[in-house]
Tab-separated table of all heavy atoms in Angstrom:
chain	number	residue	atom	x	y	z
A	1	MET	N	-70.979	-46.282	24.270
A	1	MET	CA	-69.901	-47.276	24.486
A	1	MET	C	-69.218	-47.019	25.833
A	1	MET	O	-68.837	-45.909	26.149
A	1	MET	CB	-68.871	-47.171	23.360
A	1	MET	CG	-67.761	-48.208	23.435
A	1	MET	SD	-68.142	-49.796	22.679
A	1	MET	CE	-68.424	-49.337	20.956
A	2	GLU	N	-69.101	-48.065	26.592
A	2	GLU	CA	-68.489	-47.955	27.920
A	2	GLU	C	-66.966	-47.962	27.810
A	2	GLU	O	-66.395	-48.819	27.150
A	2	GLU	CB	-68.936	-49.158	28.757
A	2	GLU	CG	-68.675	-49.014	30.231
A	2	GLU	CD	-69.687	-48.124	30.931
A	2	GLU	OE1	-70.753	-47.847	30.346
A	2	GLU	OE2	-69.405	-47.718	32.037
A	3	HIS	N	-66.323	-46.998	28.430
A	3	HIS	CA	-64.863	-46.971	28.442
A	3	HIS	C	-64.355	-47.406	29.803
A	3	HIS	O	-64.988	-47.152	30.819
A	3	HIS	CB	-64.349	-45.562	28.158
A	3	HIS	CG	-64.605	-45.101	26.763
A	3	HIS	ND1	-65.783	-44.535	26.371
A	3	HIS	CD2	-63.822	-45.129	25.665
A	3	HIS	CE1	-65.730	-44.241	25.084
A	3	HIS	NE2	-64.552	-44.582	24.630
A	4	GLU	N	-63.189	-48.032	29.790
A	4	GLU	CA	-62.554	-48.425	31.042
A	4	GLU	C	-61.062	-48.170	30.936
A	4	GLU	O	-60.519	-48.030	29.853
A	4	GLU	CB	-62.789	-49.921	31.320
A	4	GLU	CG	-64.204	-50.230	31.750
A	4	GLU	CD	-64.400	-51.686	32.115
A	4	GLU	OE1	-63.798	-52.539	31.438
A	4	GLU	OE2	-65.145	-51.956	33.070
A	5	LEU	N	-60.416	-48.118	32.103
A	5	LEU	CA	-58.952	-48.021	32.125
A	5	LEU	C	-58.394	-49.424	32.286
A	5	LEU	O	-58.923	-50.236	33.051
A	5	LEU	CB	-58.489	-47.150	33.296
A	5	LEU	CG	-58.982	-45.701	33.301
A	5	LEU	CD1	-58.437	-44.983	34.526
A	5	LEU	CD2	-58.573	-44.973	32.036
A	6	ARG	N	-57.313	-49.698	31.560
A	6	ARG	CA	-56.674	-51.000	31.671
A	6	ARG	C	-55.173	-50.798	31.882
A	6	ARG	O	-54.578	-49.915	31.268
A	6	ARG	CB	-56.950	-51.823	30.408
A	6	ARG	CG	-56.662	-53.298	30.559
A	6	ARG	CD	-57.138	-54.059	29.330
A	6	ARG	NE	-58.490	-54.575	29.473
A	6	ARG	CZ	-58.781	-55.736	30.066
A	6	ARG	NH1	-57.834	-56.474	30.554
A	6	ARG	NH2	-60.021	-56.157	30.136
A	7	ALA	N	-54.593	-51.624	32.738
A	7	ALA	CA	-53.208	-51.413	33.146
A	7	ALA	C	-52.194	-51.930	32.129
A	7	ALA	O	-52.367	-52.994	31.538
A	7	ALA	CB	-52.958	-52.102	34.485
A	8	GLU	N	-51.127	-51.127	31.939
A	8	GLU	CA	-49.930	-51.618	31.262
A	8	GLU	C	-48.885	-51.751	32.357
A	8	GLU	O	-48.644	-50.805	33.110
A	8	GLU	CB	-49.437	-50.636	30.202
A	8	GLU	CG	-48.140	-51.103	29.556
A	8	GLU	CD	-47.479	-50.025	28.700
A	8	GLU	OE1	-48.095	-49.001	28.409
A	8	GLU	OE2	-46.310	-50.242	28.346
A	9	TYR	N	-48.273	-52.939	32.446
A	9	TYR	CA	-47.354	-53.197	33.542
A	9	TYR	C	-45.923	-52.824	33.197
A	9	TYR	O	-45.514	-52.864	32.034
A	9	TYR	CB	-47.457	-54.671	33.947
A	9	TYR	CG	-48.812	-54.964	34.538
A	9	TYR	CD1	-49.851	-55.402	33.737
A	9	TYR	CD2	-49.068	-54.734	35.877
A	9	TYR	CE1	-51.112	-55.617	34.256
A	9	TYR	CE2	-50.326	-54.941	36.413
A	9	TYR	CZ	-51.347	-55.388	35.603
A	9	TYR	OH	-52.591	-55.584	36.121
A	10	ALA	N	-45.182	-52.459	34.217
A	10	ALA	CA	-43.770	-52.141	34.042
A	10	ALA	C	-43.025	-53.415	33.641
A	10	ALA	O	-43.507	-54.528	33.880
A	10	ALA	CB	-43.204	-51.580	35.338
A	11	ASP	N	-41.850	-53.236	33.050
A	11	ASP	CA	-41.045	-54.386	32.657
A	11	ASP	C	-40.811	-55.289	33.858
A	11	ASP	O	-40.445	-54.808	34.931
A	11	ASP	CB	-39.694	-53.925	32.099
A	11	ASP	CG	-39.866	-53.229	30.759
A	11	ASP	OD1	-40.926	-53.412	30.131
A	11	ASP	OD2	-38.948	-52.502	30.355
A	12	GLY	N	-41.037	-56.588	33.673
A	12	GLY	CA	-40.792	-57.526	34.757
A	12	GLY	C	-42.010	-57.759	35.636
A	12	GLY	O	-41.996	-58.643	36.482
A	13	SER	N	-43.062	-56.967	35.452
A	13	SER	CA	-44.286	-57.177	36.210
A	13	SER	C	-45.347	-57.797	35.315
A	13	SER	O	-45.400	-57.521	34.131
A	13	SER	CB	-44.834	-55.853	36.746
A	13	SER	OG	-44.213	-55.506	37.959
A	14	SER	N	-46.182	-58.636	35.920
A	14	SER	CA	-47.280	-59.211	35.157
A	14	SER	C	-48.514	-59.254	36.057
A	14	SER	O	-48.398	-59.155	37.283
A	14	SER	CB	-46.918	-60.608	34.658
A	14	SER	OG	-46.839	-61.503	35.740
A	15	PRO	N	-49.691	-59.381	35.435
A	15	PRO	CA	-50.937	-59.338	36.217
A	15	PRO	C	-50.992	-60.410	37.297
A	15	PRO	O	-51.716	-60.251	38.273
A	15	PRO	CB	-52.028	-59.571	35.168
A	15	PRO	CG	-51.412	-59.215	33.873
A	15	PRO	CD	-49.946	-59.504	33.998
A	16	GLY	N	-50.206	-61.484	37.134
A	16	GLY	CA	-50.250	-62.561	38.107
A	16	GLY	C	-49.408	-62.309	39.353
A	16	GLY	O	-49.485	-63.058	40.322
A	17	ASP	N	-48.582	-61.245	39.322
A	17	ASP	CA	-47.750	-60.955	40.487
A	17	ASP	C	-48.608	-60.552	41.693
A	17	ASP	O	-49.726	-60.078	41.541
A	17	ASP	CB	-46.783	-59.801	40.183
A	17	ASP	CG	-45.741	-60.199	39.152
A	17	ASP	OD1	-45.700	-61.388	38.804
A	17	ASP	OD2	-44.996	-59.309	38.711
A	18	ASP	N	-48.028	-60.728	42.887
A	18	ASP	CA	-48.740	-60.342	44.104
A	18	ASP	C	-48.985	-58.828	44.130
A	18	ASP	O	-50.050	-58.363	44.498
A	18	ASP	CB	-47.938	-60.732	45.351
A	18	ASP	CG	-48.019	-62.224	45.614
A	18	ASP	OD1	-48.966	-62.847	45.099
A	18	ASP	OD2	-47.140	-62.750	46.312
A	19	ASP	N	-47.967	-58.069	43.754
A	19	ASP	CA	-48.084	-56.616	43.775
A	19	ASP	C	-47.465	-56.046	42.498
A	19	ASP	O	-46.391	-55.468	42.519
A	19	ASP	CB	-47.361	-56.068	45.019
A	19	ASP	CG	-47.581	-54.581	45.181
A	19	ASP	OD1	-48.531	-54.044	44.579
A	19	ASP	OD2	-46.798	-53.952	45.915
A	20	PRO	N	-48.148	-56.230	41.384
A	20	PRO	CA	-47.571	-55.826	40.100
A	20	PRO	C	-47.417	-54.306	40.004
A	20	PRO	O	-48.215	-53.556	40.561
A	20	PRO	CB	-48.577	-56.344	39.067
A	20	PRO	CG	-49.856	-56.502	39.796
A	20	PRO	CD	-49.510	-56.779	41.236
A	21	SER	N	-46.360	-53.891	39.326
A	21	SER	CA	-46.084	-52.473	39.162
A	21	SER	C	-46.709	-51.979	37.860
A	21	SER	O	-46.341	-52.411	36.777
A	21	SER	CB	-44.576	-52.271	39.155
A	21	SER	OG	-44.270	-50.964	38.771
A	22	VAL	N	-47.689	-51.086	37.987
A	22	VAL	CA	-48.367	-50.559	36.805
A	22	VAL	C	-47.585	-49.374	36.254
A	22	VAL	O	-47.249	-48.446	36.982
A	22	VAL	CB	-49.811	-50.124	37.140
A	22	VAL	CG1	-50.465	-49.457	35.933
A	22	VAL	CG2	-50.639	-51.312	37.590
A	23	LYS	N	-47.271	-49.431	34.943
A	23	LYS	CA	-46.510	-48.366	34.300
A	23	LYS	C	-47.441	-47.214	33.937
A	23	LYS	O	-47.177	-46.067	34.261
A	23	LYS	CB	-45.852	-48.932	33.041
A	23	LYS	CG	-44.858	-48.046	32.372
A	23	LYS	CD	-44.125	-48.879	31.321
A	23	LYS	CE	-43.517	-48.031	30.247
A	23	LYS	NZ	-43.120	-48.875	29.101
A	24	THR	N	-48.523	-47.529	33.288
A	24	THR	CA	-49.491	-46.504	32.916
A	24	THR	C	-50.844	-47.160	32.670
A	24	THR	O	-50.932	-48.371	32.503
A	24	THR	CB	-49.020	-45.734	31.666
A	24	THR	OG1	-49.834	-44.597	31.472
A	24	THR	CG2	-49.084	-46.584	30.423
A	25	TRP	N	-51.884	-46.349	32.663
A	25	TRP	CA	-53.229	-46.860	32.383
A	25	TRP	C	-53.657	-46.383	31.007
A	25	TRP	O	-53.463	-45.217	30.653
A	25	TRP	CB	-54.215	-46.364	33.443
A	25	TRP	CG	-53.930	-46.920	34.796
A	25	TRP	CD1	-53.041	-46.417	35.705
A	25	TRP	CD2	-54.486	-48.092	35.390
A	25	TRP	NE1	-53.035	-47.216	36.832
A	25	TRP	CE2	-53.920	-48.245	36.667
A	25	TRP	CE3	-55.439	-49.031	34.962
A	25	TRP	CZ2	-54.242	-49.298	37.533
A	25	TRP	CZ3	-55.770	-50.076	35.819
A	25	TRP	CH2	-55.180	-50.204	37.076
A	26	HIS	N	-54.225	-47.315	30.238
A	26	HIS	CA	-54.739	-46.983	28.911
A	26	HIS	C	-56.258	-47.030	28.940
A	26	HIS	O	-56.858	-47.673	29.803
A	26	HIS	CB	-54.238	-48.002	27.875
A	26	HIS	CG	-52.756	-47.959	27.663
A	26	HIS	ND1	-52.157	-47.196	26.687
A	26	HIS	CD2	-51.756	-48.576	28.323
A	26	HIS	CE1	-50.835	-47.358	26.747
A	26	HIS	NE2	-50.564	-48.191	27.736
A	27	VAL	N	-56.874	-46.362	27.979
A	27	VAL	CA	-58.334	-46.398	27.866
A	27	VAL	C	-58.717	-47.461	26.842
A	27	VAL	O	-58.176	-47.490	25.734
A	27	VAL	CB	-58.893	-45.019	27.433
A	27	VAL	CG1	-60.416	-45.059	27.380
A	27	VAL	CG2	-58.428	-43.928	28.388
A	28	VAL	N	-59.617	-48.347	27.233
A	28	VAL	CA	-60.146	-49.358	26.309
A	28	VAL	C	-61.647	-49.176	26.191
A	28	VAL	O	-62.296	-48.580	27.048
A	28	VAL	CB	-59.829	-50.795	26.776
A	28	VAL	CG1	-58.336	-51.033	26.835
A	28	VAL	CG2	-60.468	-51.083	28.128
A	29	ARG	N	-62.196	-49.715	25.099
A	29	ARG	CA	-63.653	-49.697	24.918
A	29	ARG	C	-64.200	-51.022	25.415
A	29	ARG	O	-63.847	-52.076	24.882
A	29	ARG	CB	-64.000	-49.522	23.448
A	29	ARG	CG	-63.556	-48.205	22.848
A	29	ARG	CD	-64.063	-48.106	21.417
A	29	ARG	NE	-63.572	-46.908	20.742
A	29	ARG	CZ	-62.462	-46.898	20.019
A	29	ARG	NH1	-61.749	-47.983	19.868
A	29	ARG	NH2	-62.084	-45.781	19.425
A	30	GLY	N	-65.079	-50.963	26.403
A	30	GLY	CA	-65.716	-52.166	26.908
A	30	GLY	C	-64.694	-53.196	27.347
A	30	GLY	O	-63.746	-52.883	28.050
A	31	ALA	N	-64.884	-54.438	26.919
A	31	ALA	CA	-64.011	-55.526	27.349
A	31	ALA	C	-62.827	-55.706	26.406
A	31	ALA	O	-62.074	-56.670	26.511
A	31	ALA	CB	-64.808	-56.820	27.439
A	32	ASP	N	-62.645	-54.773	25.482
A	32	ASP	CA	-61.533	-54.842	24.541
A	32	ASP	C	-60.203	-54.802	25.299
A	32	ASP	O	-60.065	-54.073	26.261
A	32	ASP	CB	-61.609	-53.631	23.605
A	32	ASP	CG	-60.977	-53.905	22.258
A	32	ASP	OD1	-60.240	-54.892	22.158
A	32	ASP	OD2	-61.241	-53.124	21.329
A	33	SER	N	-59.234	-55.622	24.858
A	33	SER	CA	-57.934	-55.565	25.530
A	33	SER	C	-56.927	-54.778	24.703
A	33	SER	O	-55.758	-54.706	25.043
A	33	SER	CB	-57.410	-56.971	25.841
A	33	SER	OG	-57.211	-57.687	24.659
A	34	THR	N	-57.379	-54.172	23.602
A	34	THR	CA	-56.514	-53.286	22.822
A	34	THR	C	-56.866	-51.849	23.172
A	34	THR	O	-58.018	-51.444	23.086
A	34	THR	CB	-56.707	-53.519	21.312
A	34	THR	OG1	-56.432	-54.882	21.009
A	34	THR	CG2	-55.777	-52.625	20.511
A	35	ALA	N	-55.851	-51.102	23.610
A	35	ALA	CA	-56.090	-49.725	24.015
A	35	ALA	C	-56.467	-48.861	22.824
A	35	ALA	O	-56.208	-49.209	21.667
A	35	ALA	CB	-54.839	-49.171	24.679
A	36	MET	N	-57.069	-47.708	23.098
A	36	MET	CA	-57.460	-46.791	22.032
A	36	MET	C	-56.245	-46.286	21.261
A	36	MET	O	-56.353	-45.929	20.097
A	36	MET	CB	-58.249	-45.624	22.626
A	36	MET	CG	-59.608	-46.075	23.142
A	36	MET	SD	-60.561	-44.733	23.871
A	36	MET	CE	-61.031	-43.815	22.413
A	37	CYS	N	-55.081	-46.247	21.899
A	37	CYS	CA	-53.867	-45.795	21.206
A	37	CYS	C	-53.278	-46.915	20.354
A	37	CYS	O	-52.293	-46.705	19.646
A	37	CYS	CB	-52.834	-45.300	22.210
A	37	CYS	SG	-52.201	-46.590	23.296
A	38	GLY	N	-53.855	-48.115	20.430
A	38	GLY	CA	-53.399	-49.211	19.595
A	38	GLY	C	-52.545	-50.237	20.313
A	38	GLY	O	-52.194	-51.271	19.738
A	39	ARG	N	-52.193	-49.981	21.558
A	39	ARG	CA	-51.347	-50.912	22.294
A	39	ARG	C	-52.141	-52.140	22.739
A	39	ARG	O	-53.237	-52.012	23.259
A	39	ARG	CB	-50.746	-50.219	23.519
A	39	ARG	CG	-49.873	-51.119	24.355
A	39	ARG	CD	-49.198	-50.340	25.445
A	39	ARG	NE	-48.046	-49.606	24.961
A	39	ARG	CZ	-46.809	-50.125	24.898
A	39	ARG	NH1	-46.582	-51.356	25.268
A	39	ARG	NH2	-45.809	-49.397	24.459
A	40	ASP	N	-51.556	-53.314	22.507
A	40	ASP	CA	-52.187	-54.550	22.967
A	40	ASP	C	-51.874	-54.751	24.436
A	40	ASP	O	-50.715	-54.746	24.833
A	40	ASP	CB	-51.667	-55.753	22.173
A	40	ASP	CG	-52.279	-55.804	20.801
A	40	ASP	OD1	-53.477	-55.493	20.673
A	40	ASP	OD2	-51.562	-56.153	19.841
A	41	LEU	N	-52.915	-54.940	25.233
A	41	LEU	CA	-52.730	-55.123	26.667
A	41	LEU	C	-53.105	-56.548	27.048
A	41	LEU	O	-53.897	-57.198	26.367
A	41	LEU	CB	-53.583	-54.122	27.443
A	41	LEU	CG	-53.259	-52.655	27.135
A	41	LEU	CD1	-54.326	-51.744	27.701
A	41	LEU	CD2	-51.892	-52.281	27.670
A	42	ASP	N	-52.534	-57.010	28.149
A	42	ASP	CA	-52.829	-58.349	28.640
A	42	ASP	C	-54.312	-58.421	29.038
A	42	ASP	O	-54.777	-57.601	29.811
A	42	ASP	CB	-51.944	-58.629	29.859
A	42	ASP	CG	-51.946	-60.094	30.225
A	42	ASP	OD1	-53.036	-60.713	30.215
A	42	ASP	OD2	-50.862	-60.622	30.514
A	43	PRO	N	-55.047	-59.404	28.499
A	43	PRO	CA	-56.465	-59.522	28.860
A	43	PRO	C	-56.665	-59.736	30.359
A	43	PRO	O	-57.750	-59.486	30.888
A	43	PRO	CB	-56.945	-60.757	28.078
A	43	PRO	CG	-55.941	-60.949	26.995
A	43	PRO	CD	-54.638	-60.414	27.520
A	44	ALA	N	-55.618	-60.196	31.051
A	44	ALA	CA	-55.717	-60.429	32.490
A	44	ALA	C	-55.358	-59.183	33.295
A	44	ALA	O	-55.394	-59.208	34.524
A	44	ALA	CB	-54.803	-61.577	32.897
A	45	SER	N	-54.994	-58.113	32.617
A	45	SER	CA	-54.565	-56.911	33.343
A	45	SER	C	-55.721	-56.278	34.108
A	45	SER	O	-56.896	-56.473	33.787
A	45	SER	CB	-53.955	-55.897	32.371
A	45	SER	OG	-54.884	-55.557	31.367
A	46	ALA	N	-55.355	-55.508	35.119
A	46	ALA	CA	-56.354	-54.889	35.985
A	46	ALA	C	-57.165	-53.835	35.232
A	46	ALA	O	-56.674	-53.202	34.299
A	46	ALA	CB	-55.664	-54.245	37.178
A	47	VAL	N	-58.407	-53.675	35.647
A	47	VAL	CA	-59.311	-52.703	35.038
A	47	VAL	C	-59.798	-51.741	36.121
A	47	VAL	O	-60.045	-52.143	37.248
A	47	VAL	CB	-60.508	-53.432	34.381
A	47	VAL	CG1	-61.575	-52.448	33.941
A	47	VAL	CG2	-60.037	-54.263	33.198
A	48	ARG	N	-59.870	-50.472	35.762
A	48	ARG	CA	-60.373	-49.470	36.702
A	48	ARG	C	-61.429	-48.624	36.009
A	48	ARG	O	-61.496	-48.573	34.794
A	48	ARG	CB	-59.239	-48.542	37.154
A	48	ARG	CG	-58.196	-49.193	38.018
A	48	ARG	CD	-58.657	-49.373	39.450
A	48	ARG	NE	-57.604	-49.929	40.293
A	48	ARG	CZ	-57.342	-51.221	40.393
A	48	ARG	NH1	-58.047	-52.089	39.707
A	48	ARG	NH2	-56.365	-51.653	41.173
A	49	SER	N	-62.191	-47.924	36.810
A	49	SER	CA	-63.207	-47.034	36.256
A	49	SER	C	-62.551	-45.877	35.521
A	49	SER	O	-61.550	-45.329	35.974
A	49	SER	CB	-64.082	-46.493	37.372
A	49	SER	OG	-64.834	-45.391	36.887
A	50	VAL	N	-63.135	-45.509	34.392
A	50	VAL	CA	-62.606	-44.393	33.619
A	50	VAL	C	-62.817	-43.075	34.373
A	50	VAL	O	-62.265	-42.041	34.005
A	50	VAL	CB	-63.245	-44.367	32.206
A	50	VAL	CG1	-64.636	-43.753	32.247
A	50	VAL	CG2	-62.355	-43.641	31.210
A	51	ASP	N	-63.598	-43.117	35.451
A	51	ASP	CA	-63.803	-41.918	36.269
A	51	ASP	C	-62.493	-41.406	36.871
A	51	ASP	O	-62.400	-40.245	37.272
A	51	ASP	CB	-64.787	-42.204	37.405
A	51	ASP	CG	-66.202	-42.435	36.884
A	51	ASP	OD1	-66.463	-42.075	35.718
A	51	ASP	OD2	-67.024	-42.978	37.634
A	52	LEU	N	-61.483	-42.304	36.944
A	52	LEU	CA	-60.183	-41.885	37.478
A	52	LEU	C	-59.465	-40.949	36.523
A	52	LEU	O	-58.558	-40.224	36.908
A	52	LEU	CB	-59.294	-43.112	37.747
A	52	LEU	CG	-59.566	-43.883	39.036
A	52	LEU	CD1	-58.796	-45.188	39.015
A	52	LEU	CD2	-59.157	-43.057	40.234
A	53	TRP	N	-59.866	-40.985	35.262
A	53	TRP	CA	-59.245	-40.121	34.264
A	53	TRP	C	-59.524	-38.666	34.642
A	53	TRP	O	-60.656	-38.288	34.933
A	53	TRP	CB	-59.831	-40.430	32.883
A	53	TRP	CG	-59.093	-39.737	31.791
A	53	TRP	CD1	-57.982	-40.178	31.134
A	53	TRP	CD2	-59.417	-38.468	31.224
A	53	TRP	NE1	-57.594	-39.246	30.202
A	53	TRP	CE2	-58.447	-38.196	30.245
A	53	TRP	CE3	-60.408	-37.531	31.455
A	53	TRP	CZ2	-58.464	-37.027	29.477
A	53	TRP	CZ3	-60.417	-36.362	30.709
A	53	TRP	CH2	-59.453	-36.130	29.734
A	54	GLY	N	-58.488	-37.880	34.658
A	54	GLY	CA	-58.663	-36.469	34.962
A	54	GLY	C	-58.529	-36.146	36.439
A	54	GLY	O	-58.517	-34.983	36.812
A	55	THR	N	-58.425	-37.168	37.302
A	55	THR	CA	-58.271	-36.896	38.727
A	55	THR	C	-56.804	-36.696	39.087
A	55	THR	O	-56.501	-36.183	40.157
A	55	THR	CB	-58.807	-38.064	39.580
A	55	THR	OG1	-58.022	-39.230	39.318
A	55	THR	CG2	-60.267	-38.351	39.274
A	56	GLY	N	-55.898	-37.138	38.200
A	56	GLY	CA	-54.478	-37.010	38.485
A	56	GLY	C	-53.964	-38.041	39.470
A	56	GLY	O	-52.811	-37.993	39.873
A	57	LYS	N	-54.825	-38.994	39.854
A	57	LYS	CA	-54.419	-39.984	40.847
A	57	LYS	C	-53.614	-41.121	40.249
A	57	LYS	O	-52.884	-41.802	40.961
A	57	LYS	CB	-55.657	-40.573	41.537
A	57	LYS	CG	-56.336	-39.597	42.482
A	57	LYS	CD	-57.555	-40.245	43.128
A	57	LYS	CE	-58.309	-39.238	43.990
A	57	LYS	NZ	-59.671	-39.688	44.285
A	58	VAL	N	-53.789	-41.360	38.973
A	58	VAL	CA	-53.079	-42.463	38.325
A	58	VAL	C	-52.478	-41.965	37.015
A	58	VAL	O	-53.004	-41.038	36.402
A	58	VAL	CB	-54.045	-43.651	38.034
A	58	VAL	CG1	-54.558	-44.264	39.320
A	58	VAL	CG2	-55.196	-43.224	37.143
A	59	PRO	N	-51.331	-42.540	36.602
A	59	PRO	CA	-50.733	-42.137	35.325
A	59	PRO	C	-51.541	-42.711	34.164
A	59	PRO	O	-51.827	-43.904	34.133
A	59	PRO	CB	-49.337	-42.763	35.377
A	59	PRO	CG	-49.456	-43.916	36.313
A	59	PRO	CD	-50.566	-43.596	37.277
A	60	ILE	N	-51.931	-41.848	33.249
A	60	ILE	CA	-52.754	-42.300	32.121
A	60	ILE	C	-52.086	-41.931	30.802
A	60	ILE	O	-51.531	-40.838	30.653
A	60	ILE	CB	-54.179	-41.707	32.222
A	60	ILE	CG1	-54.884	-42.344	33.434
A	60	ILE	CG2	-54.977	-41.948	30.943
A	60	ILE	CD1	-56.291	-41.879	33.676
A	61	CYS	N	-52.120	-42.886	29.870
A	61	CYS	CA	-51.530	-42.733	28.544
A	61	CYS	C	-52.073	-41.467	27.861
A	61	CYS	O	-53.277	-41.274	27.761
A	61	CYS	CB	-51.871	-43.973	27.721
A	61	CYS	SG	-51.504	-43.844	25.984
A	62	HIS	N	-51.167	-40.606	27.389
A	62	HIS	CA	-51.600	-39.340	26.801
A	62	HIS	C	-52.348	-39.532	25.486
A	62	HIS	O	-53.301	-38.815	25.205
A	62	HIS	CB	-50.389	-38.421	26.584
A	62	HIS	CG	-49.818	-37.904	27.864
A	62	HIS	ND1	-50.417	-36.932	28.613
A	62	HIS	CD2	-48.710	-38.261	28.553
A	62	HIS	CE1	-49.705	-36.689	29.694
A	62	HIS	NE2	-48.661	-37.490	29.692
A	63	SER	N	-51.919	-40.516	24.694
A	63	SER	CA	-52.606	-40.772	23.423
A	63	SER	C	-54.037	-41.213	23.677
A	63	SER	O	-54.977	-40.739	23.037
A	63	SER	CB	-51.876	-41.848	22.618
A	63	SER	OG	-50.538	-41.482	22.423
A	64	CYS	N	-54.191	-42.139	24.626
A	64	CYS	CA	-55.532	-42.605	24.974
A	64	CYS	C	-56.384	-41.459	25.504
A	64	CYS	O	-57.557	-41.340	25.184
A	64	CYS	CB	-55.466	-43.711	26.030
A	64	CYS	SG	-55.016	-45.325	25.370
A	65	GLY	N	-55.779	-40.600	26.321
A	65	GLY	CA	-56.511	-39.488	26.891
A	65	GLY	C	-57.079	-38.577	25.815
A	65	GLY	O	-58.231	-38.155	25.878
A	66	ALA	N	-56.262	-38.281	24.804
A	66	ALA	CA	-56.694	-37.404	23.727
A	66	ALA	C	-57.830	-38.035	22.929
A	66	ALA	O	-58.818	-37.384	22.577
A	66	ALA	CB	-55.521	-37.085	22.812
A	67	LEU	N	-57.688	-39.353	22.653
A	67	LEU	CA	-58.722	-40.043	21.882
A	67	LEU	C	-60.014	-40.173	22.688
A	67	LEU	O	-61.114	-40.024	22.157
A	67	LEU	CB	-58.230	-41.437	21.476
A	67	LEU	CG	-57.093	-41.422	20.458
A	67	LEU	CD1	-56.384	-42.767	20.410
A	67	LEU	CD2	-57.617	-41.059	19.077
A	68	PHE	N	-59.863	-40.429	23.976
A	68	PHE	CA	-61.026	-40.568	24.844
A	68	PHE	C	-61.816	-39.255	24.902
A	68	PHE	O	-63.044	-39.246	24.839
A	68	PHE	CB	-60.570	-40.998	26.239
A	68	PHE	CG	-61.674	-40.974	27.264
A	68	PHE	CD1	-62.798	-41.772	27.117
A	68	PHE	CD2	-61.589	-40.152	28.375
A	68	PHE	CE1	-63.820	-41.749	28.062
A	68	PHE	CE2	-62.605	-40.125	29.326
A	68	PHE	CZ	-63.716	-40.922	29.161
A	69	LEU	N	-61.089	-38.143	24.987
A	69	LEU	CA	-61.740	-36.829	25.027
A	69	LEU	C	-62.633	-36.627	23.814
A	69	LEU	O	-63.721	-36.070	23.906
A	69	LEU	CB	-60.682	-35.726	25.035
A	69	LEU	CG	-60.331	-35.096	26.374
A	69	LEU	CD1	-59.398	-33.923	26.133
A	69	LEU	CD2	-61.584	-34.631	27.107
A	70	ARG	N	-62.158	-37.102	22.671
A	70	ARG	CA	-62.922	-36.916	21.441
A	70	ARG	C	-64.208	-37.736	21.435
A	70	ARG	O	-65.167	-37.387	20.771
A	70	ARG	CB	-62.058	-37.327	20.233
A	70	ARG	CG	-61.528	-36.124	19.480
A	70	ARG	CD	-60.852	-36.561	18.206
A	70	ARG	NE	-59.408	-36.612	18.376
A	70	ARG	CZ	-58.595	-37.228	17.543
A	70	ARG	NH1	-59.068	-37.884	16.504
A	70	ARG	NH2	-57.296	-37.205	17.746
A	71	GLU	N	-64.195	-38.864	22.178
A	71	GLU	CA	-65.388	-39.723	22.194
A	71	GLU	C	-66.328	-39.383	23.343
A	71	GLU	O	-67.451	-39.857	23.380
A	71	GLU	CB	-64.979	-41.200	22.303
A	71	GLU	CG	-64.364	-41.720	21.034
A	71	GLU	CD	-64.301	-43.235	21.005
A	71	GLU	OE1	-64.809	-43.885	21.945
A	71	GLU	OE2	-63.744	-43.770	20.046
A	72	SER	N	-65.838	-38.592	24.302
A	72	SER	CA	-66.685	-38.261	25.442
A	72	SER	C	-67.715	-37.223	25.046
A	72	SER	O	-67.416	-36.326	24.266
A	72	SER	CB	-65.844	-37.695	26.577
A	72	SER	OG	-64.797	-38.549	26.864
A	73	PRO	N	-68.877	-37.329	25.618
A	73	PRO	CA	-69.908	-36.345	25.314
A	73	PRO	C	-69.571	-34.981	25.903
A	73	PRO	O	-68.807	-34.874	26.816
A	73	PRO	CB	-71.174	-36.912	25.968
A	73	PRO	CG	-70.728	-37.983	26.897
A	73	PRO	CD	-69.338	-38.389	26.506
B	1	ZN	ZN1	-52.790	-45.723	25.394
């Protein structure tokens, strides 16, 4: 199963903004817009490679991180 990171936006920001403020990144399975921690994310939200997980470059949801670790080989 392919995992991806999906953005949760800060209050007042939305995917349609010119420069939306991302609050944290959640891990989703494939094209699912519900994060592994159970949070519903906007289907229009930005998606990034899960390779960013563990690099410390982006803020990532701790619940998703723990669940993702369990599914990673
Ligand atoms: Zn999460």
Side-chain angles (χ1 to χ4, degrees):
M1 184 85 61
E2 194 78 15
H3 292 84
E4 287 184 323
L5 300 180
R6 196 172 267 275
E8 176 191 348
Y9 293 92
D11 291 342
S13 276
S14 69
D17 292 353
D18 285 340
D19 186 18
S21 170
V22 175
K23 189 169 157 194
T24 191
W25 294 85
H26 294 267
V27 183
V28 298
R29 296 185 185 92
D32 207 344
S33 62
T34 302
M36 291 179 73
C37 66
R39 179 174 281 272
D40 284 322
L41 300 168
D42 194 317
S45 58
V47 171
R48 292 282 184 276
S49 166
V50 79
D51 291 344
L52 280 169
W53 189 87
T55 64
K57 288 180 185 163
V58 295
I60 292 180
C61 169
H62 290 286
S63 304
C64 282
L67 292 163
F68 172 61
L69 261 187
R70 256 188 261 165
E71 288 195 4
S72 308

